Amino acid sequence: MPDLYDVAAIGNAIVDVIGPAPDSFLAENGLDKGAMMLVDQDRSQQLYSRMTPEIQASGGSAANTIAGLASFGGKGAFMGKVADDELGELFAKDMRAIGARFENAPLAGGPATAVSMINVTPDGQRTMCTFLGASVEFTDADVEKDTIEAAKIVYLEGYLFDAERARRAFAKAAALAHGAGRMIALTLSDSFVVERHRAALMGFIEGQVDLLFANEAELTSLFQTDDFDAALEALRPHVKLAAVTRSEQGSVILSQGERLSVAAEPVEKVVDTTGAGDQYAAGFMFGLARGRPLQQCGKLASLAAAEVISHYGPRPSVSLAELAASKGY
């Protein structure tokens, strides 16, 4: 099978609604600052009516990563489930506009397209309330065999691990990818995902994952320790390659017994941390798919993360390819 895609991703297909909010808004609505909370459709509509949305655009963690990959000049594909509704059409239109493959049939007669309401406080922290809707209806039948086998890296979004049907889809994707000699990457997505599914995640990581993405909080949660270095050492035997982010402290890459440190790219002002991890993964996998050294993969990743936290929204606002070229990356 020829290499048609740098990355094929599977994740929740979500429309993001993003807006600024004072800390008092979080308190008044019982929201935990910096957390991602799942809500039902009624709560979703209630919060939406109280928000001040500035951006409405297709989102979802893995889809944002594919958007970043495309901004670098990479070729991506996305698999996820939307409903046959207005927001579902918006999501599909946005993904195709960036040149990504998105061909999953929309869900008819079920829940609405997923929505994530993201309230950004003045310090740049994002608090997310997500109605998963149609996105959790993704099943192994939606996994496209030809697309998986034609991708250098198959990227799986940890948020989707909540749904049993999606786990079966992950297993199918991993079997197809490894059968075709492809790499499986997984992002842990959020500490709450780790807390809920620690044992199942560890089993999947050990058995199927070649490349793991995590942030410091997710990694320490996975190994139930407050010691970052201890968690990193605990991870070492379980994966061939890992990239762990530490906010302003940059990131650490583990590979074949080697530990590389990558500095964070300077940012004049942090406006909105939404999408930082997604864009880090985009830069890293773009570099990896194109055969770049790991240190350079980390630099591309840091550059993409820095760009996205300098403005509202989880996707790049400038060409990451041009930005990387201007930096000599």
Side-chain angles (χ1 to χ4, degrees), residues 65-274:
T65 294
I66 292 299
L69 178 88
S71 186
F72 274 112
K75 184 68 174 171
F78 177 76
M79 284 165 263
K81 206 71 172 172
V82 296
D84 187 10
D85 57 19
E86 189 175 332
L87 288 180
E89 289 176 15
L90 169 68
F91 183 93
K93 182 180 176 183
D94 281 356
M95 292 306 293
R96 291 166 189 156
I98 61 171
R101 175 184 171 83
F102 176 61
E103 297 299 334
N104 287 128
L107 182 71
T113 295
V115 181
S116 182
M117 281 144 298
I118 304 170
N119 288 285
V120 184
T121 40
D123 59 1
Q125 282 290 314
R126 84 281 188 277
T127 302
M128 296 189 289
C129 294
T130 302
F131 166 59
L132 291 174
S135 69
V136 297
E137 302 296 323
F138 187 89
T139 73
D140 53 356
D142 295 304
V143 175
E144 299 171 349
K145 179 178 184 289
D146 290 349
T147 303
I148 294 291
E149 292 178 343
K152 295 176 186 176
I153 303 170
V154 177
Y155 180 68
L156 307 176
E157 178 188 317
Y159 281 131
L160 209 55
F161 215 76
D162 265 318
E164 183 62 39
R165 284 169 291 195
R167 288 196 217 178
R168 290 196 291 272
F170 279 10
K172 179 179 177 180
L176 289 170
H178 287 146
R182 305 309 194 179
M183 175 181 279
I184 285 285
L186 171 73
T187 175
L188 292 182
S189 292
D190 196 288
S191 296
F192 96 94
V193 174
V194 177
E195 291 292 335
R196 286 154 70 129
H197 305 295
R198 186 177 289 108
L201 277 168
M202 278 305 305
F204 188 73
I205 289 166
E206 288 178 337
Q208 305 291 350
V209 175
D210 304 298
L211 165 59
L212 182 71
F213 289 100
N215 64 28
E216 183 171 359
E218 293 154 7
L219 184 67
T220 53
S221 175
L222 186 65
F223 292 102
Q224 297 178 281
T225 176
D226 293 327
D227 186 329
F228 174 73
D229 289 315
L232 208 59
E233 286 305 309
L235 176 64
R236 196 185 289 277
H238 300 296
V239 289
K240 297 172 187 172
L241 183 60
V244 185
T245 57
R246 307 188 76 189
S247 299
E248 68 276 1
Q249 296 180 62
S251 59
V252 177
I253 301 167
L254 286 184
S255 173
Q256 307 297 320
E258 186 179 16
R259 174 174 171 167
L260 302 173
S261 293
V262 180
E265 192 76 19
V267 181
E268 189 172 318
K269 183 187 178 186
V270 176
V271 175
D272 173 15
T273 56
T274 310

Side-chain angles (χ1 to χ4, degrees), residues 8 17 50 103 135 158 164 190 224 232 237 269-270 285 288 302 310 313 319 326 329:
V17 178
R50 297 174 182 174
E103 297 299 334
S135 69
E164 183 62 39
D190 196 288
Q224 297 178 281
L232 208 59
K269 183 187 178 186
V270 176
M285 289 191 292
L288 196 63
S302 294
S310 67
S319 164
S326 73
Y329 294 171

Side-chain angles (χ1 to χ4, degrees), residues 301-326:
S302 294
L303 184 73
E307 191 282 333
V308 83
I309 66 175
S310 67
H311 58 78
Y312 279 116
R315 297 186 176 185
S317 64
V318 300
S319 164
L320 292 177
E322 291 178 9
L323 188 60
S326 73

Side-chain angles (χ1 to χ4, degrees), residues 16-39:
D16 286 335
V17 178
I18 306 169
D23 287 299
S24 58
F25 178 88
L26 305 185
E28 289 163 8
N29 288 281
L31 306 180
D32 297 326
K33 187 174 182 176
M36 197 288 266
M37 289 155 277
L38 297 178
V39 297

Side-chain angles (χ1 to χ4, degrees), residues 44-75:
S44 171
Q45 291 171 346
Q46 177 192 71
L47 287 168
Y48 181 81
S49 70
R50 297 174 182 174
M51 280 184 69
T52 309
E54 288 197 355
I55 293 173
Q56 294 191 101
S58 65
S61 176
N64 292 336
T65 294
I66 292 299
L69 178 88
S71 186
F72 274 112
K75 184 68 174 171

